[in-house]
Amino acid sequence: MYIMCCVLTGDESRQRVKFTDERVCKSHLLNCCPHDILSGTRMDLGECSKIHDLALRADYEISSKERDLFFELDAVDHLESFIADCDRRTELAKKRLAETQEEISAEVAAKAEKVHALNEEIGKLLAKAEQLGAEGNVDEAQTVLHEVERVRTKKKDAEEEYRNSMPASSFQQQKLRVCEVCSAYLGLHDNDRRLADHFGGKLHLGFIQIREKLELLKKTVQDKQERRNQERLKRREEREREERMKKRSRSRDRDQERRRRRSRSASREKRRSHSRSKERDRRRRHRSRSRSRSRHSREHSHKSSRDRDRERESKRSSSERRSDGLNGRTESRRHDDREAGEI
């Protein structure tokens, strides 16, 4: 649940906004807005054009633990634009110094640059020692001060080399350089207090904080993008694996269906074959019975014919015998009649 807050921006009336609103400064939510960091320095940028509110920042910090909002992208764009503008001012300052200061040889310029580098190292060490002392780390602060003394010795030798490489009148002139971090001017002959004030000052440390925060945000964005790409790749691989499994499953289903079809087809063919075989057997038995009946019929017919012939022959023989008997009896009666007549 988002925390709501009331803000007053310019002539607008008080409005209730969420930290996701486009009017809210995403750099402020990530605690790296240059308007906050450089406030009160000679490069104070004034009030940010977007909404700054600590309640919104607290709301963002709670929500960012649950999901990635990628506000780092907005902050990176903001800080990159700001640093690019500062770097342009640094280059312009260097160009102006080159036009106004006396030109020196490359060898002398290298020696002067060495003195500047040692000045920067001393200033950073002094600023660190002061910070450690303020935090109560006295022993560590003393160790850093001993390191300062060692660098001072090296600086003294470097200044001697630089002095001997050019006329005394030219050496007395203040040689300036532009700080690569905050675009401020540094003198070759600045004392330790001036160096400590610069390198331990809010302006210089603020620019260091902004530059370090920018690099950290870039790394965070890169890590999140790589993680998101890996998650996308993983999801794509999972989808592809699921697709392959589905294809295999469909292929298995098709194979099983083909096997079932072949099995059903084989079963039907087997039944048809069995049916045809039974039909052939039935027909064979029918033909066999038909032939048997035909043969029996022929035999019966032949037997009947023979019987009829024998019966006719018998009847004929009987008729003939009866006829012969009758003829014999007739002849006998005739013979008797003739004998009687003769008598």
Side-chain angles (χ1 to χ4, degrees):
M1 180 178 179
Y2 297 130
I3 298 173
M4 307 294 291
C5 67
C6 296
V7 293
L8 188 64
T9 57
D11 297 332
E12 297 178 355
S13 60
R14 297 174 69 85
Q15 300 178 8
R16 299 175 67 83
V17 298
K18 298 178 180 180
F19 72 88
T20 54
D21 196 299
E22 292 183 355
R23 294 169 297 174
V24 176
C25 178
K26 303 305 184 290
S27 299
H28 170 73
L29 297 179
L30 291 163
N31 196 26
C32 61
C33 181
H35 293 266
D36 292 336
I37 295 173
L38 300 179
S39 176
T41 68
R42 67 177 181 83
M43 288 187 65
D44 192 325
L45 301 174
E47 185 178 354
C48 183
S49 60
K50 293 192 173 184
I51 298 172
H52 284 208
D53 193 284
L54 295 177
L56 293 176
R57 181 188 293 175
D59 188 23
Y60 164 74
E61 290 174 352
I62 293 172
S63 182
S64 63
K65 295 177 182 179
E66 301 174 357
R67 60 192 177 103
D68 281 336
L69 298 166
F70 277 90
F71 286 174
E72 292 86 356
L73 290 171
D74 298 303
V76 166
D77 291 340
H78 183 196
L79 296 186
E80 279 185 336
S81 176
F82 175 75
I83 292 299
D85 186 55
C86 291
D87 290 342
R88 283 193 296 270
R89 288 200 300 270
T90 299
E91 293 301 319
L92 288 174
K94 287 180 179 180
K95 186 176 180 180
R96 284 195 296 269
L97 279 180
E99 292 173 353
T100 57
Q101 292 192 131
E102 182 181 351
E103 186 176 355
I104 56 178
S105 64
E107 180 182 359
V108 175
K111 292 178 179 180
E113 186 63 28
K114 185 177 180 180
V115 175
H116 278 299
L118 292 171
N119 279 339
E120 183 174 347
E121 186 175 358
I122 290 172
K124 290 179 179 180
L125 290 172
L126 289 172
K128 183 179 179 180
E130 289 181 0
Q131 182 179 359
L132 290 171
E135 295 173 354
N137 300 320
V138 179
D139 293 338
E140 294 183 16
Q142 289 296 325
T143 302
V144 173
L145 289 176
H146 289 313
E147 181 66 17
V148 170
E149 292 299 325
R150 186 185 65 81
V151 177
R152 281 173 177 166
T153 302
K154 293 174 63 177
K155 175 189 173 183
K156 184 176 180 180
D157 296 337
E159 286 179 336
E160 187 66 26
E161 291 181 7
Y162 174 67
R163 183 185 298 106
N164 293 334
S165 64
M166 60 189 308
S169 57
S170 299
F171 178 75
Q172 294 301 326
Q173 294 179 359
Q174 178 69 290
K175 296 295 181 182
L176 300 176
R177 66 174 300 209
V178 180
C179 179
E180 299 289 346
V181 175
C182 61
S183 304
Y185 288 105
L186 296 174
L188 185 67
H189 304 303
D190 287 344
N191 57 33
D192 293 348
R193 183 69 267 162
R194 169 73 176 88
L195 295 173
D197 290 342
H198 171 77
F199 290 105
K202 186 177 180 180
L203 177 64
H204 187 84
L205 294 178
F207 270 96
I208 291 177
Q209 180 182 346
I210 293 171
R211 292 178 184 273
E212 289 179 350
K213 188 66 175 182
L214 175 59
E215 295 302 318
L216 180 61
L217 289 175
K218 286 181 178 179
K219 187 177 185 304
T220 301
V221 169
Q222 183 178 0
D223 292 342
K224 287 187 175 182
Q225 288 177 340
E226 290 178 356
R227 187 164 60 252
R228 173 174 286 188
N229 292 336
Q230 290 175 356
E231 291 174 354
R232 288 175 178 173
L233 180 61
K234 185 177 179 180
R235 288 195 296 269
R236 186 175 65 184
E237 290 176 350
E238 289 177 353
R239 287 195 300 268
E240 291 175 352
R241 184 165 56 252
E242 290 176 358
E243 287 296 325
R244 288 193 298 267
M245 292 177 65
K246 289 180 180 178
K247 288 181 180 178
R248 293 195 195 101
S249 178
R250 288 194 293 267
S251 179
R252 285 194 300 269
D253 293 341
R254 287 194 296 267
D255 292 340
Q256 291 175 358
E257 183 63 24
R258 283 195 292 267
R259 284 195 293 270
R260 284 194 293 268
R261 289 176 182 173
R262 285 196 294 266
S263 178
R264 289 194 294 267
S265 179
S267 298
R268 287 194 297 269
E269 186 63 27
K270 187 176 180 180
R271 288 194 297 270
R272 291 193 191 104
S273 177
H274 183 66
S275 178
R276 287 193 295 268
S277 178
K278 290 177 65 176
E279 181 65 20
R280 284 194 299 269
D281 292 342
R282 188 184 64 78
R283 290 177 181 176
R284 192 180 299 112
R285 289 193 299 271
H286 179 71
R287 286 194 297 269
S288 178
R289 287 194 298 269
S290 295
R291 285 194 296 269
S292 177
R293 284 194 299 268
S294 178
R295 186 168 55 253
H296 179 71
S297 178
R298 286 194 301 270
E299 290 176 354
H300 180 71
S301 178
H302 185 62
K303 182 177 180 181
S304 297
S305 180
R306 287 198 305 270
D307 292 342
R308 284 193 299 271
D309 290 343
R310 282 196 296 270
E311 186 177 349
R312 281 194 299 269
E313 185 65 28
S314 176
K315 288 180 179 180
R316 193 180 301 114
S317 297
S318 297
S319 179
E320 287 177 354
R321 283 194 300 272
R322 284 194 302 272
S323 179
D324 289 344
L326 289 175
N327 288 335
R329 285 194 295 273
T330 302
E331 287 295 330
S332 177
R333 282 194 300 269
R334 285 177 182 173
H335 185 269
D336 290 339
D337 287 344
R338 279 192 304 267
E339 286 182 352
E342 287 178 355
I343 294 172

